[in-house]
Amino acid sequence: MRKTTIFRSSSLVVLCAAVASAGATAQEPDTLQLPQRPDVHIVVAGETLWDLAQRYLDDPFLWPEIYRLNTLVVEDPHWIFPGEELRLGPLDTTMVGETVVVGQPVVGDPDVDVSPQVEQAVLPDQPVEDVLVPDMPPPGAPPPPPPGFLTEGQDLPWGKVLRAVGKPTLSSLSATSSTLIYGEVAIEAPRDAMYQLGDSLLMAKLTRDVPGWGKIVHPTGIAVVTQVTDDGGRAQIVQQFDRVSDGQVAIPLEPFRDPGMVVPVPLDNGLMGAIVEIRDPRVIPGQQDILFIDRGREDGVALGDVFTVLRPGQREGIAPDTVGYMQIVHTRDQSSSGLLIIINDLGIGVGAPVQLFAKMPT
């Protein structure tokens, strides 16, 4: 009986992706390989990940993709050194389990069925006890990137990003000013509020409305307040996930609570819910996508809980078919954000039912 490991730690996923892509590159069709991109780049003096993303990916803001493939080499993404060999392989995440690789199919393996619509192996049906619970980050691990959430129609204490100040900026490229990591932005505090030096703020853009659930909050970075004025102040970008530009919003960053060595415990007949929206809409959701479900803190959902995604529209009396697994990475009162960590088959989309599979101990 094959077993599939569900990984929680983003660094572990990245490590597995790099290992798996190293072994699968030679088997990928030529049509999937970008021209003029070597498998490995040797760093020379003066280069940055920003430069390499511009050269090889045609977009400097994709530098985190190169970093994620090279976490064994690059300890701090803001510092790379001459002579380091950086992998520039495929950017699609590949998951590696104990004995099953979700990615390139094994030719002739009778236990793996490949659907022509997707680029991932369809895993055989497995009893619940054969799916391993994901590992939590080790004690002292840095907090994961904020996943985004639904506002649930609440009037949250939004500040406002007014403009980029100082250098580096990209204001010359468009009417909207934006800044890079370690750049500063002028911010306006919420009404009847003031920032304090050292406050940590989540920078975000408010995207589309979800009927009955408010707007989607899509994080773009984390900033620390460096200067305070009567109506706001300045903040320095210390982490960046997307373009930070004027017109975006800022909100106090929620504290990250390290779960330590606690892991979720499998259970039977868990809480049922449904997917209400996908943060980044795609024809077929992929691993690491963020899914929003209609269950939250009021239902007892906690960070680290694992939900199965079930095939929608199944007839009554038929055992539910699991098409994926997601782990809760953010909770609100009535909704939660889940990281899609395993895809078994098609069927993951808005309206798909979910069921609590493993619960974090209280």
Side-chain angles (χ1 to χ4, degrees):
M1 174 67 69
R2 290 176 175 263
K3 294 185 177 181
T4 303
T5 302
I6 306 173
F7 292 113
R8 165 65 163 77
S9 172
S10 59
S11 60
L12 188 55
V13 171
V14 172
L15 170 61
C16 295
V19 174
S21 61
T25 300
Q27 300 177 5
E28 295 183 358
D30 292 338
T31 56
L32 296 180
Q33 297 183 4
L34 295 177
Q36 301 179 347
R37 186 201 297 179
D39 291 336
V40 174
H41 174 85
I42 299 178
V43 178
V44 299
E47 288 184 325
T48 65
L49 292 182
W50 174 272
D51 300 328
L52 300 183
Q54 175 66 63
R55 181 187 311 173
Y56 295 116
L57 306 179
D58 296 324
D59 187 343
F61 282 97
L62 291 179
W63 66 262
E65 302 295 344
I66 299 178
Y67 170 60
R68 291 186 185 112
L69 289 177
N70 294 279
T71 52
L72 292 180
V73 177
V74 181
E75 294 183 2
D76 185 336
H78 312 302
W79 296 95
I80 58 176
F81 300 94
E84 289 181 334
E85 296 185 3
L86 303 183
R87 173 164 293 281
L88 303 172
L91 299 181
D92 291 336
T93 302
T94 303
M95 300 288 291
V96 180
E98 284 187 325
T99 56
V100 176
V101 175
V102 180
Q104 293 296 328
V106 180
V107 178
D109 189 337
D111 293 331
V112 179
D113 178 26
V114 181
S115 169
Q117 291 86 4
V118 296
E119 298 178 5
Q120 293 164 323
V122 177
L123 303 180
D125 293 334
Q126 300 171 344
V128 169
E129 60 270 16
D130 283 345
V131 180
L132 302 185
V133 175
D135 294 329
M136 299 299 292
F149 55 89
L150 300 171
T151 63
E152 299 183 354
Q154 297 176 351
D155 184 16
L156 299 175
W158 299 119
K160 185 177 180 181
V161 179
L162 300 177
R163 63 188 179 280
V165 293
K167 295 183 178 182
T169 67
L170 297 179
S171 57
S172 61
L173 301 182
S174 68
T176 300
S177 68
S178 59
T179 188
L180 312 179
I181 191 166
Y182 299 131
E184 287 193 327
V185 292
I187 52 176
E188 180 181 274
R191 180 178 300 179
D192 300 325
M194 288 187 63
Y195 293 128
Q196 301 293 326
L197 288 177
D199 283 353
S200 295
L201 303 177
L202 177 67
M203 322 302 282
K205 51 187 177 183
L206 300 179
T207 61
R208 61 193 185 280
D209 283 300
V210 180
W213 294 97
K215 288 186 175 292
I216 293 176
V217 179
H218 191 136
T220 57
I222 294 176
V224 174
V225 176
T226 57
Q227 180 179 334
V228 176
T229 61
D230 291 339
D231 58 354
R234 288 189 178 189
Q236 183 182 46
I237 308 301
V238 295
Q239 290 190 49
Q240 187 173 21
F241 319 119
D242 202 340
R243 190 184 301 272
V244 178
S245 60
D246 54 86
Q248 294 183 2
V249 295
I251 191 171
L253 183 67
E254 295 184 12
F256 172 71
R257 295 177 176 84
D258 190 342
M261 302 303 293
V262 179
V263 297
V265 179
L267 48 79
D268 296 323
N269 302 319
L271 176 72
M272 295 294 299
I275 298 173
V276 297
E277 189 55 277
I278 300 174
R279 192 191 70 179
D280 305 302
R282 312 177 197 274
V283 176
I284 300 176
Q287 290 167 359
Q288 307 299 298
D289 274 353
I290 298 297
L291 313 176
F292 303 124
I293 65 172
D294 61 353
R295 292 291 181 264
R297 290 190 291 253
E298 294 180 354
D299 303 295
V301 178
L303 293 180
D305 288 355
V306 178
F307 280 78
T308 56
V309 182
L310 306 178
R311 190 179 302 282
Q314 287 190 312
R315 290 177 296 176
E316 186 176 354
I318 297 179
D321 186 5
T322 298
V323 296
Y325 293 84
M326 56 180 284
Q327 187 158 37
I328 300 302
V329 290
H330 187 90
T331 57
R332 308 291 292 171
D333 288 341
Q334 302 172 33
S335 63
S336 298
S337 308
L339 179 70
L340 188 57
I341 49 179
I342 285 291
I343 301 176
N344 288 350
D345 203 346
L346 299 177
I348 298 175
V350 175
V354 298
Q355 184 172 24
L356 184 60
F357 164 73
K359 178 71 180 166
M360 288 290 286
T362 56

